[in-house]
Amino acid sequence: MMTTSLGIDPIEPSIDVETDVDRSRIHGELVHEFAQRQGVGAAATIGVTLVVTAILWGQLSTGILLGWTIAQTVLATANWLRWRPFADRATLHRKPLPTNIEAIVWRFCSGLLWGLMAFVVHLNLPAPFETFIFLVIAGMAAGGTSTLSALR
C-alpha cells in the first residue's frame, strides 16, 4: 500500500470527514513546506531589490531609493526569521503554528512595497524604466504565488 507523507492512500482516500487532528497535522505540514521556501524567497527578494536599486541609481532620488531598498531588505529578512523555526519539523510540535493569513499579510506587505516603487517610477521616469519595473514585479508576483502555493 502506497501512502503520502501524511499517511493518506492516494488510490483510495478515506471518505470520512477530516477531524481536527487531521486538519492540525495537515496545517503543520503545509506550514513546514512554506517555511522551507522562505530562505530562497528572501534571498531572491533581496537580490532583485539590489539589482533594481543599481539600475535605478542616479535616476531617482537617493533617499527614496535607499528607503525602499532598506524597507524591502528588512521585510524579507524579518519574514525569513519569522518562518525559519518552522522549517524544522520538531518545532511544529513545540510552538503554536502561524496561520495562512499571516503568510498572506507578509506577501501583501512585500507586494505593497513593489507597487509603491512602480508608482514612483511611473511618476518620475520614462517609459523604458516603467516597463523594466513592471516586468520585475510580474516576476516577483509569480515567485510569491508559487511560494504561497504551499498553503491551501
Side-chain angles (χ1 to χ4, degrees):
M1 175 179 169
M2 183 177 79
T3 61
T4 65
S5 63
L6 296 176
I8 299 168
D9 181 356
I11 297 171
E12 211 171 296
S14 173
I15 57 172
D16 296 334
V17 176
E18 284 182 347
T19 65
D20 286 340
V21 172
D22 291 336
R23 276 190 225 104
S24 176
R25 190 177 78 209
I26 290 169
H27 179 66
E29 288 295 323
L30 294 174
V31 165
H32 173 71
E33 178 70 26
F34 181 75
Q36 286 183 313
R37 298 177 183 193
Q38 297 314 299
V40 172
T45 298
I46 292 169
V48 172
T49 298
L50 292 175
V51 168
V52 168
T53 300
I55 290 172
L56 297 180
W57 194 261
Q59 303 296 323
L60 285 177
S61 158
T62 304
I64 290 172
L65 199 53
L66 286 179
W68 174 80
T69 302
I70 290 168
Q72 277 288 25
T73 303
V74 167
L75 183 64
T77 304
N79 178 51
W80 174 66
L81 291 172
R82 168 65 178 116
W83 291 92
R84 184 176 58 147
F86 300 102
D88 176 19
R89 283 190 190 279
T91 304
L92 297 175
H93 306 291
R94 290 191 315 247
K95 287 185 167 186
L97 297 175
T99 64
N100 295 354
I101 298 298
E102 183 179 347
I104 292 167
V105 168
W106 282 102
R107 290 292 159 258
F108 175 78
C109 291
S110 179
L112 186 62
L113 285 173
W114 283 106
L116 288 172
M117 178 51 72
F119 184 70
V120 169
V121 167
H122 174 70
L123 292 179
N124 297 296
L125 298 178
F129 288 102
E130 279 186 68
T131 304
F132 165 72
I133 205 75
F134 289 131
L135 288 172
V136 168
I137 290 172
M140 295 303 290
T145 301
S146 67
T147 299
L148 286 172
S149 70
L151 302 174
R152 64 174 183 168

